Amino acid sequence: VRPTIVMGKGSKIGEALGKLASLPVIPILGKGDVKVQPIHVRDAVEAIIETFQSKMAVGKVVEIGGPDILDWNEWFKRSRALRSGKKARLIHLPTSAIMPVLRALEPVIGGRLPVTSGQLYSFLCDGTASRNHDLGRARYDMVGFDAMIKQTG
């Protein structure tokens, strides 16, 4: 089972993205048009249990994601609005200039950075799940993006 970005209370990636969303100007690698499909931890657990109980996924990779697909620009605009009621100011940064600097800084200042270079790779490639016809879960009862953001604080 391969989940997309797992969100919920205590989610480290959710907390890191929340820190970014709280900055006066939010840095985004590239154009911010990469698609992501976050899934709530509860929904991920239920999908994993269902996958193993159904036995339909034996020998297959099952990708799971939440009900909402959005790009990083929309993620940070909505996240900022939900967290503070303020409009997000985004700045798009060239990947080729940022990644080497971040990799060099990580060993020196490590945990004080809001995200790791590995986490930033999710800004570069679509992170959506393929549709799984084997899973019976209906997408309408899954936790949506706005509720995930409110839960991560």
Side-chain angles (χ1 to χ4, degrees):
V1 177
R2 184 182 308 156
T4 57
I5 297 172
V6 179
M7 298 285 290
K9 191 163 183 71
S11 163
K12 295 298 181 195
I13 187 69
E15 291 170 4
L17 292 169
K19 286 179 186 177
L20 280 176
S22 69
L23 295 174
V25 178
I26 302 167
I28 297 179
L29 285 182
K31 296 176 184 176
D33 58 355
V34 170
K35 302 286 185 203
V36 291
Q37 186 180 6
I39 186 168
H40 189 271
V41 65
R42 182 206 70 195
D43 296 326
V45 169
E46 289 177 10
I48 291 167
I49 291 169
E50 184 176 339
T51 299
F52 285 105
Q53 287 176 340
S54 72
K55 298 189 185 346
M56 291 180 163
V58 173
K60 297 179 188 176
V61 173
V62 176
E63 296 178 345
I64 56 173
D68 299 317
I69 297 174
L70 56 160
D71 66 26
W72 286 115
N73 292 317
E74 184 180 359
W75 176 299
F76 285 111
K77 287 176 184 177
R78 285 172 63 181
S79 179
R80 176 63 161 260
L82 289 164
R83 292 172 192 273
S84 69
K86 296 179 181 175
K87 185 177 179 180
R89 293 177 49 214
L90 309 176
I91 184 169
H92 295 93
L93 305 172
T95 308
S96 59
I98 299 302
M99 294 303 279
V101 173
L102 185 57
R103 279 194 293 272
L105 287 175
E106 282 178 326
V108 179
I109 58 176
R112 293 188 301 256
L113 294 170
V115 293
T116 67
S117 59
Q119 290 169 330
L120 284 183
Y121 277 109
S122 62
F123 283 83
L124 307 177
C125 302
D126 283 346
T128 58
S130 299
R131 190 167 179 192
N132 292 301
H133 299 285
D134 297 341
L135 293 179
R137 282 187 49 73
R139 292 169 64 90
Y140 62 83
D141 70 343
M142 297 177 84
V143 177
F145 177 77
D146 292 356
M148 288 184 225
I149 294 301
K150 289 176 184 175
Q151 287 180 12
T152 56

